[in-house]
Amino acid sequence: MSRKLIALIIVIILIGAPIGYVLYAYQGFERVLNPGTPKGVSHYVVIYSNGEFYVLSADKYSQFVSSGGKLPLGSKVYNVTLKSYITGSPEVDLNVTLRSFYDRFTIVIGAPSVQECKTNPSAYPGNCDMRTVAVSEISALVANLFSINYYLKAKSMGYDNVSAKQYAYEQTQLRHDITYLSFWTKLSIGRGSIGNQKNLAVLLIGPAEGAKCNCVYVPRRGLLVIEGKTDTTLRAEIVLIENIIGFKWPQGNQTKLINVSG
């Protein structure tokens, strides 16, 4: 074998191997979002009526309708499926994922086109107002849960109440990222550098990202996917998540949530 041929092979390997890895990791993102048949499924209905959210199991809602129940005029109904790929219980998956201790958290607020909401809302393929609300709500929810964990850590280290709260606030500010679903973000998710047991990633997938279902699932530990065919549905799904994990907002938050799931 000639030296030129050997040199060519080495060059091909040096160039091809990194490219191959990048492509494999990028394709891994698609595999993450399509993890196959879930181990368990739960169905819920989120109702928005007169400024309040109501959460029911699909069975409870079916009973309500079949018994002649009617919603107030102007009410909006969102059917949401929760899927489990870890424990078999979607509710357990959600609680464990959101309440675990992480080094960092990342909120992936959507495709780069979401930026159009700041400059040219009419060009955004969805509802800018509702996407903004959804992003704000999930960001605040995750930050609160993250802060609670670091508050408890500070208390375990002997901090007093005031110092522990300050420590939790500072750590939350230092340890979070907000990003778009760009090529590099997909690559990071695909190769597992975010959305793992150390770095919680929450991914919003709406109409701008080609959502295929109204569903919430944890395809692997540390990665939460909130998918809705409309941005308004994303908002309703986040309310459902709050309900499932039993999260209570600090006093002063205007979100109203009534659990009638029975």
Side-chain angles (χ1 to χ4, degrees):
M1 186 179 293
S2 69
R3 292 183 178 179
K4 288 185 178 180
L5 181 57
I6 293 175
L8 178 61
I9 293 174
I10 293 175
V11 169
I12 291 174
I13 292 174
L14 291 175
I15 295 176
I19 293 175
Y21 173 76
V22 169
L23 292 176
Y24 178 80
Y26 185 78
Q27 291 172 352
F29 172 76
E30 297 300 329
R31 292 193 293 271
V32 168
L33 262 61
N34 298 280
T37 303
K39 295 181 179 180
V41 174
S42 298
H43 301 283
Y44 288 88
V45 175
V46 181
I47 301 169
Y48 183 74
S49 180
N50 296 324
E52 296 180 343
F53 283 102
Y54 299 80
V55 176
L56 299 83
S57 68
D59 289 340
K60 289 290 184 181
Y61 180 70
S62 180
Q63 292 174 15
F64 170 76
V65 174
S66 62
S67 64
K70 294 184 178 180
L71 298 174
L73 187 66
S75 298
K76 297 180 180 179
V77 177
Y78 305 94
N79 294 284
V80 181
T81 299
L82 301 188
K83 299 186 287 186
S84 171
Y85 293 96
I86 300 177
T87 66
S89 168
E91 293 80 6
V92 171
D93 285 6
L94 275 176
N95 271 285
V96 172
T97 298
L98 286 172
R99 293 191 178 279
S100 292
F101 188 93
Y102 297 94
D103 293 338
R104 299 189 66 83
F105 71 90
T106 303
I107 307 296
V108 185
I109 65 177
S113 62
V114 173
Q115 299 178 74
E116 297 285 0
C117 287
K118 295 181 180 179
T119 57
N120 187 17
S122 62
Y124 173 69
N127 185 315
C128 279
D129 289 341
M130 283 297 102
R131 176 58 69 101
T132 300
V133 171
V135 168
S136 298
E137 184 97 358
I138 193 62
S139 298
L141 170 63
V142 176
N144 267 273
L145 295 172
F146 192 88
S147 179
I148 289 170
N149 283 332
Y150 276 85
Y151 169 81
L152 295 175
K153 178 182 178 180
K155 292 291 287 183
S156 71
M157 294 189 298
Y159 286 47
D160 61 34
N161 191 52
V162 174
S163 297
K165 288 182 178 179
Q166 182 63 27
Y167 176 82
Y169 172 78
E170 291 173 351
Q171 293 304 309
T172 301
Q173 295 302 307
L174 289 171
R175 297 171 181 265
H176 80 276
D177 298 288
I178 305 294
T179 188
Y180 293 98
L181 190 59
S182 64
F183 172 86
W184 294 110
T185 303
K186 290 182 179 180
L187 185 66
S188 296
I189 293 173
R191 65 191 183 97
S193 60
I194 65 173
N196 55 51
Q197 295 185 42
K198 292 186 177 181
N199 188 329
L200 170 66
V202 179
L203 173 58
L204 294 180
I205 298 181
E209 297 76 31
K212 298 177 181 177
C213 67
N214 295 328
C215 54
V216 177
Y217 59 99
V218 180
R220 69 172 182 234
R221 297 190 184 280
L223 177 62
L224 172 61
V225 179
I226 305 172
E227 185 169 354
K229 294 181 179 179
T230 68
D231 290 306
T232 307
T233 303
L234 289 177
R235 172 72 174 90
E237 290 173 338
I238 294 167
V239 170
L240 174 60
I241 291 170
E242 294 168 5
N243 181 271
I244 294 296
I245 68 173
F247 179 78
K248 302 295 182 183
W249 284 103
Q251 186 176 3
N253 186 283
Q254 298 303 308
T255 301
K256 296 182 179 179
L257 176 62
I258 298 177
N259 180 3
V260 292
S261 56

